[in-house]
Amino acid sequence: MEALRQDDPRRFGPYTVLVRFRETAAAVQYLAHGSDPDDLVLITAARPALAALPAFRRRFHAEARTADRLAGGWVEARLDTPADGSEDDDRPWTASAYVPALTLAEAVDLAGPLPERAVRILGAGIAETLSRVHATGAVLQGLAPRTVLLAEDGPRLTAFGPLGAAADAEARPGGQLSVRLGYLTPEQVAGQEAGPASDLFVLGLLLAYAATGSTPLADGPAAEAAERIAHTDPRLDAVPDALRELVARCLAKDPAERPTAGAVAAELALEGAAGLAKGGWLPEPLRAAVAEQNARVRALDAPPPAAAEAGAAEADAARDLGAVPAAAEGPDALADAVVAADAVPASTAEDAGAVPAAAENPGAIADAVVVADAVPAPAAEDAGAVPAAAENPGAIADALVIADAVPAAAEGVPQDPPSPLTPHRDTRTAQLGVIDHQAPRPDRVTTQLALPPAPPVLPTALPVAPQAPRPAAALPAPGPVAPLPSAAPPAPAKRAAVDRRTLLTAAAAGAVGLLAGGGGVLALGSGDDVEPAADAKPAPSPSRPVVAGLPPQPRWIYTHPAAEPAPLTAALWNERLLVLTGETQASAVDLRTGRRVWESPDAAKGQAALAAGQEFCFVAGPSEFLWLSAKDGRVAHRVAYADGFAGAPHLSVRRLVGSSGPHLWFTGSHQVTVKAPKPAKGKKPGKDRQVVKSYLFGYDIEQRKELWRTPVPTGRGPIAPVYRLVAVRPDAVVVRQDRLTLTPADVKAAKGKALFRSFDRQTGKLQWAKTVGTVGPDAAAVGDADGVLYAAVGDDLRAFETPGGRPKWTLNGTPGSVFGTSAEAGALLHTTNRNQEVGVVDRATGKPRWRRSTEAVAGGPAPAVTVSGSGGTLLAAGAGQVTAFAAADGRRLWKFQDIGDQDPQGATVTAPYQVLAYGESAVVRRDRVVYAFPVA
């Protein structure tokens, strides 16, 4: 849930809108109240972009009428709808009583699989409603984990046709309506129409999902999903014994072998779902979450009238309900089928027998394109001609038919729910809008943002080697190369950044927390060594429990002063300070309170901030190394590049290479005069030449002394080459030269491949310089302490032994997946790719453990992955969001998006996110705002 936006209606008929509650592909749901504030209703309003399409309006109204016919039992009655010709009629909507409930997807995420008794009640309630639908010869085609609600007294159905359960709906040129649906059944794979038995197949999938938290037929290559649905027997080992046989019959390949809805209802609960649910049916965590949601909802206040008239969507008008937007699909897979409305005569457009195989189905997403004007309105709406078909939940009012069902199913790429090996569309949070199968969609649980189309890429971070892993951790600390200070470009400034920002977070089904980024909040005491200065920066707030998908309450929020440029780099100092370097100064923030404790103008434009023992913070400035006091930021020591390195006068230092503990590596160069050789007798003397000499340095920042220097080939310029740290090993440092600093001769010699160099850690002596496989100069690459290199090659991720280059294993990607830089954690390797997917593989064998989509906007670089201090959480930071996953099994934990500048005239923030993990916290930075989140 989120606060009302500027363009959201404040009223629907007699109802005053309070907040946005959930979103579906075709509609937005608002929480509102009537003349009596205690009478809460749920408004389902068509999305404005779709409401103008005649095809959409007919379908919307047809499914609303279906809901009316089914009202009672486990279907809420419709209370109101706009009158024909009214102002509200431009945007179709319906109103029904608000019922505190969680979606099935939310419930499974919050409490895991349901107990057997709860699964029985859930299945019986759905089957009872299906039995009523099938009695008319119609098909529901509206089942999915996000369309089934779990209320205190039993389940509820909320979708009554393909449009209500659509995963995506959009207007296309020419008045077309594109609808992407959710499921595919074996008979639909074979090109047959969906029938009542199709709903039973979907019910079987939902029962298995509710009982196990995963979906049958999900494991395996995505491209073979249709084949698995049509021919592979589902694995039901995890389904409770008492339910396994019934679920297996529902999932029978032959529709004739599936039980009827009435038979399923009786077998699950002979006394009926309501009878079995007497005395309560939800597990305690879910019951408490539903009760808490109800309490929070009852405490909501309407937006101020003045704000409504001005069109202001202030975030403090809402309290979060903890309800995950309902656009998430559960256990399903993707396929595309293009449907033309004129394929069926108008007279039969709404006939129940004309229900297409493109309608929502349990295994693949079908793309149903409806031509708005293909069916004349009188024929399409003629309830007298076809009274049952015109309103039944299976008939598509605009004659959706599959032009080529079998090829469409075969070509569709499934997008199954959580499975150990298959990327999927996650049900943990909202899924707003469907894109192609290669590009995970965005999902906006915490905030709804307009994401930038082409965000800037973070410059490469200074890699550092890990500290020793914690013995008690489930996974050791991050592997050999992990980003530390990372530069980010300042946001384009249309005006000075405001000092008030909003973050929407939520308790378990709880309220929206509105946190003022620059306001004074109760501060906790500082530590013994670092005394915070008096500063009105946000201090820690109590953390609250969360619903899956929603981020935890931040411990604190720090907003960089608007009068200063946005920070260039950020780094952690001994888990006590966050050190930010910028154009005008370096500054430090206390990690316990979120307060700024010192500033140092001497350290302006610093490249890095590293711990030099327990007293000093090391910063590499443009012209010197600085050691700042951790207490007050004063400069304690300096080493100028120009005269601080014997035998290298006027040294120029390029980008730092990386560090491990107190050891730092960097490249530098200086000019030397090469005397002309003595001329031969009778010849004119030659001219002296100025030559650039370059070196790789090893340096101890605690002892403040040079360890060694090794001559290296000068890069293009001519200047010192830019090396990027690839691996830190017990006896070696492995680097790769940045492509832009390679000389033409270097490029020619490498033949289009990356050249890796290994230097002895003790002496700096070059050990080897080689290409590895076909790894390109720009391909992501990282190595471990055992001599293995993990690098992107085409769409795949490969492991090579070095220096020999023999391949160890290959992790196959999908077209366009292009892997980013992986993160090592003990025996595991955390992967990331440009399809906005992250995952875990066995480092020794390459065997996948799991792979998940972040649901971020497709395109751009792969998200940067960071493992928490305990190893329990994997955080993926991209251009538009940070997503947290359970490192052990890939469960999606939460997603965070910074809501940004609330002033319409304020600067647009396009900077990507950066994550720095320590202990049980994760620091998330975007531009000039920093959040400290608790993590496992």
Side-chain angles (χ1 to χ4, degrees):
M1 194 211 76
E2 68 167 274
L4 294 177
R5 302 179 189 173
Q6 187 170 355
D7 56 350
D8 282 328
R10 266 44 184 188
R11 293 189 67 84
F12 288 90
Y15 304 107
T16 300
V17 179
L18 300 175
V19 288
R20 293 170 74 101
F21 189 68
R22 288 190 179 98
E23 294 193 34
T24 70
V28 178
Q29 293 182 329
Y30 299 92
L31 198 66
H33 67 67
S35 56
D36 184 349
D38 291 332
D39 293 338
L40 294 172
V41 299
L42 194 65
I43 305 291
T44 300
R47 291 187 179 275
L50 302 175
L53 299 178
F56 176 90
R57 297 170 69 84
R58 290 194 292 270
R59 187 67 237 170
F60 185 95
H61 291 308
E63 293 187 11
R65 292 192 296 269
T66 297
D68 283 348
R69 294 200 314 273
L70 295 174
W74 307 117
V75 176
E76 291 301 312
R78 183 172 59 167
L79 300 178
D80 203 355
T81 191
D84 291 341
S86 67
E87 292 182 1
D88 288 338
D89 192 41
D90 291 338
R91 185 178 182 182
W93 58 269
T94 64
S96 58
Y98 161 72
V99 177
L102 303 176
T103 68
L104 175 59
E106 293 166 8
V108 170
D109 269 337
L110 179 62
L114 302 182
E116 179 185 329
R117 177 171 172 271
V119 175
R120 286 183 174 275
I121 295 169
L122 172 69
I126 297 174
E128 289 169 6
T129 304
L130 288 179
S131 181
R132 296 166 57 200
V133 173
H134 296 167
T136 68
V139 187
L140 183 65
Q141 296 183 309
L143 296 181
R146 64 174 178 80
T147 65
V148 176
L149 298 181
L150 276 58
E152 186 175 5
D153 59 346
R156 297 288 194 281
L157 295 185
T158 64
F160 306 95
L163 189 61
D168 183 53
E170 63 178 346
R172 288 186 175 177
Q176 293 181 327
L177 170 65
S178 172
V179 177
R180 292 179 183 267
L181 303 161
Y183 288 112
L184 189 69
T185 61
E187 57 269 31
Q188 289 170 308
V189 171
Q192 302 170 14
E193 294 179 353
S198 301
D199 282 338
L200 271 298
F201 188 91
V202 182
L203 177 58
L205 292 175
L206 287 184
L207 291 177
Y209 175 73
T212 67
S214 61
T215 308
L217 306 174
D219 293 344
E224 299 173 9
E227 178 70 17
R228 291 197 302 275
I229 290 169
H231 303 294
T232 303
D233 291 331
R235 297 191 61 179
L236 303 175
D237 298 346
V239 176
D241 294 343
L243 299 174
R244 189 177 303 138
E245 193 271 340
L246 174 61
V247 172
R249 283 189 283 126
C250 289
L251 297 177
K253 305 301 182 186
D254 185 351
E257 295 179 4
R258 297 172 200 154
T260 63
V264 171
E267 187 168 341
L268 289 173
L270 190 59
E271 66 274 49
L276 188 57
K278 286 182 179 178
W281 72 293
L282 294 177
E284 180 56 27
L286 300 183
R287 188 203 62 76
V290 171
E292 178 70 9
Q293 181 191 102
N294 187 39
R296 301 286 184 178
V297 165
R298 301 296 172 184
L300 283 172
D301 296 323
E309 293 173 3
E314 280 297 327
D316 20 352
R319 307 255 193 306
D320 191 283
L321 309 179
V324 179
E329 274 296 349
D332 54 349
L334 290 174
D336 285 327
V338 178
V339 185
D342 56 7
V344 174
S347 61
T348 62
E350 293 208 26
D351 193 289
V355 178
E360 175 161 357
N361 40 61
I365 292 247
D367 202 11
V369 179
V370 182
V371 181
D373 298 327
V375 184
E381 292 275 21
D382 189 0
V386 195
E391 297 182 8
N392 80 69
I396 297 188
D398 299 291
L400 308 186
V401 292
I402 287 193
D404 194 355
V406 176
E411 294 172 7
V413 178
Q415 200 74 340
D416 294 318
S419 78
L421 305 180
T422 307
H424 70 301
R425 293 186 294 111
D426 200 292
T427 62
R428 275 61 177 177
T429 52
Q431 301 189 19
L432 309 180
V434 178
I435 46 169
D436 72 54
H437 60 274
Q438 297 294 343
R441 72 198 66 179
D443 147 349
R444 304 168 184 168
V445 171
T446 314
T447 58
Q448 305 287 332
L449 301 177
L451 300 178
V457 180
L458 279 173
T460 304
L462 173 66
V464 298
Q467 303 299 318
R470 296 169 174 81
L475 294 174
V481 184
L484 228 183
S486 181
K494 294 162 61 176
R495 53 169 292 185
V498 298
D499 61 357
R500 184 175 181 273
R501 303 175 71 86
T502 306
L503 166 69
L504 301 183
T505 60
V512 172
L514 301 179
L515 306 178
V521 185
L522 178 64
L524 299 182
S526 63
D528 298 331
D529 298 326
V530 181
E531 295 294 332
D535 196 343
K537 295 297 183 294
S541 301
S543 182
R544 298 179 294 193
V546 298
V547 170
L550 300 176
Q553 183 81 356
R555 303 185 196 275
W556 49 259
I557 305 174
Y558 167 79
T559 302
H560 203 64
E564 301 175 14
L568 298 173
T569 71
L572 301 179
W573 183 87
N574 283 339
E575 299 190 1
R576 289 160 56 193
L577 296 177
L578 172 69
V579 181
L580 305 170
T581 63
E583 290 288 342
T584 59
Q585 65 183 14
S587 58
V589 176
D590 191 320
L591 288 175
R592 286 163 288 190
T593 66
R595 292 183 173 222
R596 180 188 276 196
V597 293
W598 53 255
E599 302 91 30
S600 174
D602 293 278
K605 300 182 181 180
Q607 283 193 57
L610 303 172
Q614 296 299 312
E615 297 183 27
F616 302 114
C617 176
F618 170 88
V619 175
S623 61
E624 60 185 344
F625 288 156
L626 299 172
W627 285 260
L628 308 180
S629 168
K631 291 185 177 181
D632 54 20
R634 294 181 181 178
V635 178
H637 306 283
R638 301 174 186 266
V639 173
Y641 305 148
D643 57 10
F645 295 85
H650 308 292
L651 182 71
S652 173
V653 173
R654 297 295 306 275
R655 184 189 299 271
L656 302 182
V657 177
S659 67
S660 176
H663 294 167
L664 174 72
W665 302 284
F666 63 93
T667 57
S669 62
H670 72 111
Q671 283 191 343
V672 298
T673 301
V674 177
K675 296 291 185 180
K678 186 177 180 179
K681 188 175 181 180
K683 297 291 184 180
K684 292 182 179 181
K687 294 183 178 180
D688 295 343
R689 293 181 302 118
Q690 297 294 314
V691 177
V692 174
K693 286 193 173 182
S694 300
Y695 306 90
L696 174 66
F697 290 83
Y699 198 89
D700 190 314
I701 62 174
E702 288 187 1
Q703 298 183 33
R704 301 194 297 280
K705 72 174 185 179
E706 179 182 333
L707 299 176
W708 46 259
R709 76 178 72 167
T710 295
V712 294
T714 297
R716 180 179 299 181
I719 51 178
V722 173
Y723 287 155
R724 302 193 182 277
L725 188 64
V726 172
V728 177
R729 293 167 180 165
D731 61 345
V733 177
V734 181
V735 301
R736 178 178 61 179
Q737 188 170 342
D738 188 284
R739 179 178 59 85
L740 296 178
T741 67
L742 291 169
T743 65
D746 292 333
V747 174
K748 183 177 180 180
K751 298 180 179 179
K753 302 177 184 178
L755 183 64
F756 297 90
R757 291 181 171 93
S758 178
F759 297 90
D760 188 284
R761 285 190 65 176
Q762 299 300 318
T763 66
K765 181 180 178 181
L766 178 66
Q767 296 177 329
W768 51 264
K770 294 185 177 183
T771 59
V772 177
T774 58
V775 179
D778 293 322
V782 66
D784 62 19
D786 300 323
V788 178
L789 179 73
Y790 309 96
V793 178
D795 294 331
D796 303 330
L797 179 67
R798 293 185 180 176
F800 300 91
E801 293 179 350
T802 59
R806 186 176 71 87
K808 288 193 62 177
W809 51 257
T810 298
L811 176 65
N812 292 321
T814 53
S817 60
V818 186
F819 284 85
T821 303
S822 302
E824 178 195 352
L828 303 178
L829 187 72
H830 298 273
T831 65
T832 176
N833 66 54
R834 290 186 187 174
N835 281 348
Q836 307 304 307
E837 296 168 339
V838 297
V840 170
V841 301
D842 186 280
R843 196 157 57 89
T845 65
K847 181 180 180 180
R849 299 288 186 89
W850 56 263
R851 189 189 303 175
R852 300 283 184 269
S853 170
T854 66
E855 308 298 344
V857 174
V865 289
T866 304
V867 184
S868 65
S870 68
T873 303
L874 177 67
L875 298 120
Q881 67 186 55
V882 174
T883 315
F885 298 88
D889 55 16
R891 284 180 298 108
R892 187 184 177 98
L893 302 177
W894 49 264
K895 182 205 73 174
F896 169 73
Q897 289 179 305
D898 172 32
I899 201 169
D901 193 337
Q902 294 304 288
D903 190 326
Q905 301 302 317
T908 300
V909 178
T910 58
Y913 290 86
Q914 176 190 8
V915 174
L916 303 171
Y918 69 98
E920 296 181 349
S921 297
V923 171
V924 175
R925 180 176 78 98
R926 192 184 198 202
D927 197 47
R928 59 179 62 250
V929 183
V930 182
Y931 305 84
F933 290 107
V935 294

